[in-house]
Every structure is written in C-alpha cells, then in structure tokens.
Amino acid sequence: MAYDFGSQTLGIKNPFKTEGKLRTVTGVLLLLAGIVPLLNVATTLPSDPAYAYAYAIAGFILVAAGITHIGIGLFQLFRYFVGRSVPTSLAFNKARSERDNAEHERRFLFYDDEQLHSMLMGRKNLTFLEPMGWVARLLHSVLPNLTFLPHPIRNLAQEIGNLVANLITALLCLAIVFFVVTTGLAGEVAKEVAIPILSILLLVYLLVGWQRTAKHINNPGKKGVTKTKNASIATLISLSILVPVIVGYVVQKIFGISVQQVQDFSESVPLFSAWPNILLLLVAIALVLAGILPNLFTRLSKVTPKTDVSEYRDNFQENVHPNEIFINIENIVLANRRYKEIPNRVYREFDPRLNEQAEGKGSFNGELLIETQPELADESQIGYKNIFRVICSALAQLVVLIAFSLLYMLIMDIADIVKAALNSEDGASVANASLVALHNSALFSLFAWLTFKAAGSILNNGAHLFWGEIHFNSLLMYLKSEGTYTESKVSTGMSIHDSTRSENVVVRSSITPWIITSRIDSSIFATSGTANLESPRLIMGMSKNDEEMSQIVKEIKGFLRDRESIASITSESDLKNASNIHQVNQQTRAFVENDQKRLSKEDEEAAGFLRNNEASDEKKSE
C-alpha cells in the first residue's frame, strides 16, 4: 500500500529494534571473523596454495555474510514508515476514497463480505480452522488453545511438533533395527553393516525434515493453516524390520562378503559414524525448543476466544424516505466513530432496493457492512514477554555464529583433503587411512553445518514472528433494513388570506432495522520494508459492545425524531420579504372592505330600503 502521510499518526512503532541490534552485532562479528583469514592469504599463498585459497573462500563468505547481517540489522533499526491506510482490510474495501489501496491489498485478504456477515449472524469465528493431519490433531488435543492462535504461530507450532514426532519415530525405528540385528534375525553380516548404514540414513532423514521445517517457517503472508505431513508409522516399522534383513542378504549372498572380511575392512579403514552428528542435531533441537516454547506458552496463556455480538431489532413508523436511514448511519453515525478521522472500511455498500408496487406505494430493503479504522491495541493483549523474545533472538544469533564456524571448519577440512590427495603417492587413494579420516571429518562438518544452519533459520524466523505480531481493535457493524413505504401530500397555507403556501410529498415508511455490532480483536504480522503491514489480518475475538450499540440506536432515533416533513422558510431575508408581502396584503384587504360597505349602502338607498326604515323609526319615536 502507498505511504499515505497524515499529521495524525496511528501510533505504530518499529517492533524490530531489539532484533535489529542483535543482528547488527552478529554481522559485525562475522565481518571481523572474515577479515582475519583474508589477511592470511598473502602470507600463506607461496608456501601452501590449498590453505590460501581456503582462507580466501572462507574470508569472502564470512565478509559477505557479515555485511548481509549488518544490512538487515540496520534496516530493522531504520525509521518505520506507517501510513494512514494500514493495516490490511478484513475483506475487499469498497470505499471510494480507498480504491487504489483496495486493489493492492486484495491478494492478502483472508475473508470476504459474505464470511464476515456469516460470522456476525452466526456468532462464530471462521479464523479458527480445524487441524489437518495426525500430528496436528495430537498437538491440538494436548494444547487446546493452540486452535485459537494466529495461523503463522499455529504453523510454527505444528512444524516443531511434526519435527519432534519424526525424531521420536526415527529413534523408535532405530531401536527396532537394533533389536532385529542383535538377535541375529538379519544374519551375522548385518550385525557389522546394518547399524552404521542405518545410522547414516537416520541422520539424512532427520536433516531433510530439519531443513523442511526451516523452509516452511516465517511466511506471514501465507493464508490458512498448513497440513502437517508425517511418514506412516506402519511403513517405517516395516522398513525397520525388512531393511536389515535385505542388507544382510545382499552383502552376504550376492556380493559374497563374509563377516571376517567386514571386520578386517572396518579395522583398517575408519568408517564414518553418524552418532556425533545425531547428538549435535539433538542439541540443536533443544536450543530451538528453548527459544520458541517459552514464547509459545506465554502466547497461549493470553488466548481468550470470544464470539459475542450486540444485536438490536425494532420497528419504526416514521415519515422518512428509506434511503435516509442508510445515509444517516454511514455519513453521520459511523462517521462520528472514525479513528483519527480515517475513512471507514466499507465491505458491503448500502444499496437500498426500492420495489414500487403501485403509484406511491412499495417495499424496500438494503444492507450495510462496515468496519471502523482499526486502532492499535495494548501490547499486553498479546501476552509476549520481552525477556523471552530477547532470549529467542539471542539464541538465533548464537546458533548462526556456530553455523558459520562449522562452515569455516568444513572449508578447512576440504583444504586438508585436497592437500592430502595432492601429496599422496597414488594421487587419489581412497583406501588411505588418513585420507578417509579427513573425509569423515569433512562429512561431520558438513552435517553439523547443515544442522545449525537450519536451527539458526528456525530461531530467526520464529523470533521474527513473535516480535512482529500486532493487534488492533475496531468496530464491525452490519445493518439490514427492510419494510414498506407510502407517499402522501401535506399542504399548509391554503387559506384565501394566506400569502405563502407549502405543499410537500411525505413518504411514510414502516422500517424494521436489524443491527449487529461487535468489537473485534484482529491480529497481523508485521515485517520490515515497504510492505511492513501487508499480510492477512485475522479476527482473534469478538466482544459485546452494548453501550456503543445503545448510543448508535439513540442517534438513529434522534435523527428520525427531529426530521422535518414540511418545508418552511428559515432565511431571515425570506421571512422579511414574506412579512412585507403580508403587510401589503393587509392594507389591500382593508380598502376592499370599505369599498364593499360603501357600495352596499348606495345600493340600499337606491332601492328605498334605508328611507323606509328611517320613516318607521320616526313614527315609533312619536
């Protein structure tokens, strides 16, 4: 969305300053660590080219990583630009003043107007989706409040839970293999071959799941909850029984290798052991759990899922056009409830449909769904403790440093292998014990680097989610109004002596409004950059607001009560002019009355009526 500047800010501060400081420190350490081997290149190149090139490669990698971390850390410390159009709307915003932003944020919307209407009418929250998958259902059974967390946090918890479940399953399968081999069910050769081979397969299996977990975390823009996929336990158990038997049969029967040959080879050539790497993987998992679980549990403790609304239904008999109800509610009642005068989010426009059934008579109906500008909520509603978030970020940076240290060791091991291969008599003798040992050391460094690289990614992404969750409060209102109307004429000033006249067409409406409102708590996950608050905004709770509803109804009734149906003169100039006209009419009416009286007297005298009356009066006096 565009950066819509306004003098009245929304009060949203940069939530990533602590994380940015820690990343910057990590970047400085990596940069310094990369400069040291680069300084050794010139002195090492004449005597040992293999190590010189290794120093150069390791130095450039560390310097590049340090500069990248410093850039990310400083970027998180820069000014946090927040316009007046954030955060993302719940559904497509049909307000005319927000057309450009509405089109831009369309891909981030989680709801539509039908779903919001269904949530208000049905007192339900469509945000809380049913978990999919065996592990997900197990987690939600053990932690019931997990269902009521935002989707990115739920996905994080499910990925970690799936990883732990796969680890337990793999160890169970290894125990089955150990039982099959030690009891002799797979043959004598399998005792010497199966365990080392299966330990390597176990390590690869766990690392693949580890890398997948790191890849699927930190996607706040993703809509919905991911489905956790885990291998079938029955399939793994079957393979644990069959694989040792097949390996023993293939080695002994097909290749003809005896037990003594296997023992002699293992004594002469040190084989790679995956157990140290498996132990390192367990340590990495423990570090990840130590950073993520405290934040997850504190977030769970603040879950308060509510689906309460306030409702009002009534019937009015008023002299008002049906359109005026919707215009008043949108342009006055709800406009007065704007937060810092930011336009409301209109999800369903008022579009009164008038069905004229006869001349001056008919029915009408219309709907309106609107949300006020979300207001930043108190951080205590989220429930995170800063100390736990700092620990998670600090552990993430520590693991990142360990990962780059292991990468440096891997590069040096490769240099040792190259140097040993060049110095060997046959040039590339794999059977040489020292060369095999170097290969084993390089494999150990490779698997260890992949382990801690993924662990650092998981901790960094998890900490970023915990720092970036922001909550908002807003009013969501649905209005449905229907009824009938009739038209009639009202006229005033119809007397023959009135100089002004008012004739009005009055619409008499029988209105049945249905109003549902709720104070909603919504959650969004911020990021750094231009799209810092552009992700799906999820409704976490719906609360009653009876006092606010009473005030809305009071304002609507006040509008209906004070509305004028008869046109009148309110201008002082018009009143003065009407008074002048009235005075002229009064004077004109007086002259007309005198003339009528004089003409009547002359007519009577002409007829002798007045003279006869005078003679009779004289006789009576005598």
Side-chain angles (χ1 to χ4, degrees):
M1 290 180 286
Y3 172 62
D4 299 327
F5 172 75
S7 58
Q8 298 185 24
T9 63
L10 299 179
I12 302 175
K13 299 180 180 180
N14 187 356
F16 302 112
K17 285 188 175 181
T18 303
E19 185 182 19
K21 293 176 183 178
L22 293 173
R23 283 180 179 267
T24 303
V25 172
T26 301
V28 171
L29 294 176
L30 290 175
L31 181 61
L32 295 176
I35 293 175
V36 174
L38 289 177
L39 295 176
N40 295 329
V41 173
T43 57
T44 311
L45 184 60
S47 60
D48 202 339
Y51 278 107
Y53 283 107
Y55 286 147
I57 294 172
F60 281 122
I61 292 176
L62 291 176
V63 168
I67 294 175
T68 301
H69 276 73
I70 291 174
I72 295 174
L74 292 178
F75 192 79
Q76 291 181 322
L77 294 175
F78 291 161
R79 179 184 171 187
Y80 206 67
F81 286 88
V82 177
R84 286 171 62 85
S85 299
V86 298
T88 307
S89 300
L90 296 175
F92 183 74
N93 187 5
K94 299 178 182 178
R96 296 183 179 181
S97 62
E98 304 297 322
R99 288 180 178 177
D100 294 338
N101 290 330
E103 289 295 336
H104 179 76
E105 68 181 10
R106 185 190 288 269
R107 59 194 176 99
F108 300 110
L109 304 178
F110 183 75
Y111 312 95
D112 55 32
D113 61 317
E114 292 293 340
Q115 290 176 319
L116 295 178
H117 171 234
S118 175
M119 291 169 66
L120 289 175
M121 292 293 294
R123 278 72 166 171
K124 56 188 176 182
N125 195 337
L126 301 180
T127 309
F128 306 138
L129 303 176
E130 181 180 358
M132 304 295 293
W134 189 89
V135 174
R137 289 184 176 273
L138 172 64
L139 286 175
H140 286 75
S141 299
V142 176
L143 303 172
N145 285 343
L146 190 63
T147 309
F148 311 117
L149 290 183
H151 297 165
I153 303 296
R154 281 184 61 178
N155 292 336
L156 171 64
Q158 290 181 185
E159 290 293 340
I160 298 298
N162 191 50
L163 176 67
V164 174
N166 288 337
L167 175 62
I168 295 174
T169 303
L171 294 177
L172 175 63
C173 294
L174 185 64
I176 295 175
V177 171
F178 184 78
F179 173 78
V180 171
V181 170
T182 54
T183 55
L185 296 177
E188 295 296 328
V189 177
K191 290 183 179 180
E192 303 291 336
V193 178
I195 296 297
I197 294 177
L198 289 177
S199 65
I200 296 176
L201 293 178
L202 172 64
L203 176 61
V204 173
Y205 171 75
L206 293 177
L207 280 179
V208 170
W210 193 234
Q211 296 287 335
R212 188 188 68 84
T213 300
K215 182 180 178 181
H216 285 79
I217 295 176
N218 189 29
N219 190 4
K222 184 177 181 180
K223 294 186 288 187
V225 179
T226 58
K227 180 181 179 180
T228 56
K229 297 180 180 180
N230 53 294
S232 172
I233 296 179
T235 303
L236 291 176
I237 292 176
S238 301
L239 292 176
S240 302
I241 297 174
L242 294 177
V243 168
V245 176
I246 295 174
V247 170
Y249 178 81
V250 169
V251 171
Q252 188 171 5
K253 300 296 182 182
I254 297 180
F255 292 101
I257 300 175
S258 63
V259 177
Q260 187 63 38
Q261 290 176 327
V262 174
Q263 292 176 350
D264 293 340
F265 180 79
S266 60
E267 290 177 359
S268 60
V269 179
L271 299 178
F272 173 74
S273 177
W275 296 113
N277 287 104
I278 293 176
L279 292 176
L280 275 181
L281 180 61
L282 295 177
V283 172
I285 293 176
L287 290 175
V288 168
L289 295 179
I292 289 179
L293 290 184
N295 290 284
L296 181 61
F297 288 139
T298 54
R299 182 66 180 86
L300 284 170
S301 64
K302 288 291 183 178
V303 170
T304 54
K306 295 181 180 180
T307 56
D308 300 327
V309 301
S310 296
E311 182 177 339
Y312 176 79
R313 290 171 293 160
D314 202 348
N315 180 264
F316 302 140
Q317 303 288 333
E318 299 289 344
N319 294 334
V320 62
H321 195 281
N323 287 359
E324 294 293 334
I325 296 292
F326 297 92
I327 295 173
N328 172 259
I329 291 176
E330 183 182 21
N331 295 343
I332 298 179
V333 176
L334 289 177
N336 291 338
R337 284 161 177 80
R338 293 177 298 170
Y339 176 65
K340 295 190 176 181
E341 300 180 358
I342 300 176
N344 296 324
R345 306 338 177 53
V346 181
Y347 302 135
R348 187 174 293 177
E349 289 183 294
F350 79 91
D351 184 21
R353 293 173 290 275
L354 302 181
N355 180 23
E356 188 173 358
Q357 300 168 350
E359 184 177 358
K361 297 181 180 181
S363 62
F364 68 90
N365 63 83
E367 294 178 312
L368 176 67
L369 182 61
I370 197 167
E371 181 197 16
T372 60
Q373 165 65 27
E375 178 182 357
L376 183 66
D378 187 3
E379 191 175 352
S380 61
Q381 294 185 12
I382 307 176
Y384 294 119
K385 294 182 179 180
N386 282 335
I387 183 62
F388 290 151
R389 291 189 289 190
V390 171
I391 290 174
C392 186
S393 295
L395 281 176
Q397 304 314 311
L398 175 62
V399 171
V400 167
L401 292 175
I402 294 175
F404 278 102
S405 300
L406 293 169
L407 178 61
Y408 181 82
M409 291 175 55
L410 175 62
I411 295 174
M412 292 298 105
D413 288 338
I414 294 175
D416 290 335
I417 293 173
V418 172
K419 184 177 179 180
L422 293 175
N423 295 333
S424 60
E425 294 179 358
D426 55 358
S429 179
V430 180
N432 187 286
S434 61
L435 194 59
V436 172
L438 292 175
H439 280 85
N440 292 341
S441 177
L443 285 176
F444 171 81
S445 300
L446 174 63
F447 288 133
W449 169 62
L450 292 176
T451 298
F452 281 90
K453 177 177 176 291
S457 178
I458 293 173
L459 284 171
N460 267 321
N461 296 337
H464 196 71
L465 287 178
F466 296 136
W467 285 111
E469 186 177 1
I470 301 177
H471 277 226
F472 294 89
N473 289 324
S474 59
L475 170 67
L476 184 63
M477 175 178 175
Y478 169 74
L479 167 67
K480 178 182 179 181
S481 181
E482 55 186 351
T484 59
Y485 70 93
T486 58
E487 295 181 357
S488 59
K489 290 185 177 181
V490 176
S491 300
T492 58
M494 299 295 290
S495 171
I496 60 173
H497 301 299
D498 291 335
S499 58
T500 57
R501 173 179 164 181
S502 176
E503 186 171 332
N504 305 270
V505 176
V506 177
V507 179
R508 182 70 174 177
S509 299
S510 175
I511 308 166
T512 304
W514 193 348
I515 306 175
I516 301 177
T517 63
S518 180
R519 271 284 162 184
I520 62 171
D521 170 36
S522 55
S523 172
I524 193 171
F525 287 84
T527 57
S528 299
T530 54
N532 50 14
L533 286 170
E534 296 181 21
S535 61
R537 184 159 61 96
L538 306 174
I539 298 177
M540 294 289 100
M542 304 163 58
S543 303
K544 281 180 175 290
N545 59 330
D546 293 336
E547 294 183 1
E548 197 169 18
M549 170 67 86
S550 300
Q551 185 64 28
I552 291 174
V553 173
K554 181 180 178 181
E555 292 180 13
I556 295 175
K557 289 183 176 180
F559 160 74
L560 296 175
R561 182 176 59 251
D562 298 336
R563 180 173 173 79
E564 297 180 356
S565 300
I566 299 175
S568 62
I569 300 174
T570 58
S571 172
E572 293 292 338
S573 299
D574 290 342
L575 288 173
K576 184 176 180 181
N577 294 335
S579 177
N580 293 335
I581 294 172
H582 177 70
Q583 292 177 6
V584 172
N585 290 338
Q586 287 291 101
Q587 294 176 4
T588 306
R589 188 179 303 131
F591 292 144
V592 171
E593 290 177 353
N594 293 333
D595 291 342
Q596 288 178 349
K597 289 179 180 180
R598 181 176 55 79
L599 291 173
S600 298
K601 186 176 181 180
E602 291 177 352
D603 292 340
E604 290 176 354
E605 288 177 350
F609 180 74
L610 289 177
R611 288 191 295 273
N612 293 334
N613 287 342
E614 291 176 356
S616 61
D617 290 340
E618 290 176 355
K619 289 180 181 180
K620 288 180 180 180
S621 61
E622 292 178 354

